[in-house]
Amino acid sequence: EKGLSEKVQVYHFHDWCADQLRTYQVNMRRGATTSFAERQVTSVIEGVERGQIPKAQYGALLIDEGHEFEPEWLRLVSQMVDPETNSLLLLYDENQQRKRKPFSFASVGIQAQGRTTILRLNYRNTREILQYAYDFAKAYFTDSDPDTDTPLLTPEGAGRSGDAPLLRAFDTLDQEVANAITQLGLWHRQGVAWRDIGILYPGGMAGTRIAKALQQSELPFFWLATSGNRKRYQPESDTISLMPIGSSHGLEFERVMILDSSFQLPRDLLATDSLAEEIRKLYVGLTRARSHLVISYHRVNGVSEALQAIGPERGP
């Protein structure tokens, strides 16, 4: 729209790594003990260290969703800024950050001290949704470590008000799905466009179950279940957006339903701080809703107990 397509490059971080390896003909590191994505990043880092991939490729660099970046990713991309301009903008939300070992921006080559602006006002969510999400997760947000320079902030709403979020308990996932289909029909009859509705889920079978129900009900939807689908996603099309919470970063919808909200990974895959991780992830999903939020669950565990503790809870 601004006529800048020849001057601005936009990449998902791992797509950028793949492009660097192709452009400068750097071989991918071999190995079976690490994932493809990890080997991809390591190969770029080593390529930069060997001088195969040049530094200072960009006059300016903007890093969005910076809380998703690992320290070594930030150290890598910060070297891509031309030192003559030294123009780097890092945007992040500490409340959405995954649990990891604390680090400072200075340790990864980013000059943040004295150059930080804190954006305190939340313009996305109504006061009720923002407060609900924060009350749900605040006990699992830890204060910033003294070795970091990333402050943990209490969110402040910009003044919009609306309906309180609804929490609904069911006996089975099938009941959750049936309720979701009913709720979708109600919203659409009220004049809500399909594109203004997002259906999110933490993991498990909820996506498959609701996708099948949407097909059977002949409701238009787009499922962001794979990286290929995510690249083809068109938010302006009049379809319901269905996605795991992990794919919802940076997105927002007028109305959001979260299915199987208390889903947790199998115990053998969980870390000792797994409950905190699941709650922080769900916090991201809750804050995708601009004006209406419906949360449902059928599993009784630490996540559902945290949801019940703040209410309000209503039946179907």
Side-chain angles (χ1 to χ4, degrees), residues 181-236:
I181 296 298
T182 299
Q183 184 68 67
L184 288 169
L186 175 61
W187 281 345
H188 196 57
R189 288 193 297 274
Q190 292 173 344
V192 180
W194 296 126
R195 63 175 167 271
D196 289 331
I197 300 174
I199 302 177
L200 313 182
Y201 56 94
M205 294 299 296
T208 301
R209 297 280 186 85
I210 188 65
K212 182 178 179 180
L214 289 168
Q215 287 177 328
Q216 292 175 340
S217 301
E218 298 183 342
L219 299 182
F221 73 100
F222 189 88
W223 191 5
L224 284 79
T226 65
S227 59
N229 275 7
R230 288 193 289 273
K231 291 176 182 178
R232 293 192 298 272
Y233 180 51
Q234 296 181 325
E236 68 279 2

Side-chain angles (χ1 to χ4, degrees), residues 35-269:
S35 69
F36 178 85
E38 290 174 314
R39 287 188 286 115
Q40 193 178 51
V41 175
T42 301
S43 299
V44 176
I45 291 173
E46 293 176 348
V48 172
E49 292 174 348
R50 291 193 296 263
Q52 296 172 286
I53 298 175
K55 301 178 182 180
Q57 296 184 31
Y58 306 108
L61 176 66
L62 184 151
I63 302 171
D64 197 10
E65 305 289 344
H67 47 269
E68 289 292 303
F69 277 61
E70 299 293 341
E72 57 269 24
W73 301 3
L74 292 172
R75 185 178 296 109
L76 169 62
V77 297
S78 66
Q79 299 177 72
M80 296 298 136
V81 181
D82 188 334
E84 292 190 8
T85 60
N86 197 28
S87 184
L88 184 149
L89 176 60
L90 171 65
L91 307 173
Y92 69 93
D93 181 352
E94 180 73 4
N95 288 348
Q96 296 186 40
Q97 182 171 287
R98 292 172 286 109
K99 188 70 175 178
R100 63 188 176 197
K101 185 177 179 180
F103 70 96
S104 67
F105 287 139
S107 70
V108 296
I110 296 176
Q111 301 171 26
Q113 189 170 5
R115 304 174 66 193
T116 300
T117 299
I118 298 176
L119 307 177
R120 296 185 180 276
L121 288 183
N122 177 304
Y123 293 94
R124 172 188 294 149
N125 315 116
T126 59
R127 183 186 297 109
E128 289 78 7
I129 290 173
L130 183 62
Q131 190 64 54
Y132 184 93
Y134 189 69
D135 286 347
F136 165 68
K138 65 183 178 183
Y140 298 89
F141 294 150
T142 56
D143 292 331
S144 295
D145 189 278
D147 294 329
T148 76
D149 38 25
T150 55
L152 183 65
L153 304 175
T154 301
E156 299 178 19
R160 280 197 313 127
S161 189
D163 295 338
L166 298 180
L167 176 64
R168 294 172 174 169
F170 296 91
D171 294 326
T172 67
L173 178 57
D174 286 341
Q175 291 176 353
E176 288 190 57
V177 169
N179 176 76
I181 296 298
T182 299
Q183 184 68 67
L184 288 169
L186 175 61
W187 281 345
H188 196 57
R189 288 193 297 274
Q190 292 173 344
V192 180
W194 296 126
R195 63 175 167 271
D196 289 331
I197 300 174
I199 302 177
L200 313 182
Y201 56 94
M205 294 299 296
T208 301
R209 297 280 186 85
I210 188 65
K212 182 178 179 180
L214 289 168
Q215 287 177 328
Q216 292 175 340
S217 301
E218 298 183 342
L219 299 182
F221 73 100
F222 189 88
W223 191 5
L224 284 79
T226 65
S227 59
N229 275 7
R230 288 193 289 273
K231 291 176 182 178
R232 293 192 298 272
Y233 180 51
Q234 296 181 325
E236 68 279 2
S237 64
D238 195 24
T239 58
I240 300 164
S241 296
L242 170 63
M243 69 194 73
I245 291 176
S247 296
S248 70
H249 288 274
L251 299 177
E252 58 186 60
F253 305 94
E254 199 63 36
R255 305 193 179 205
V256 167
M257 281 190 286
I258 301 182
L259 297 182
D260 200 5
S261 59
S262 59
F263 170 84
Q264 289 184 283
L265 291 169
R267 187 172 297 276
D268 59 342
L269 297 178

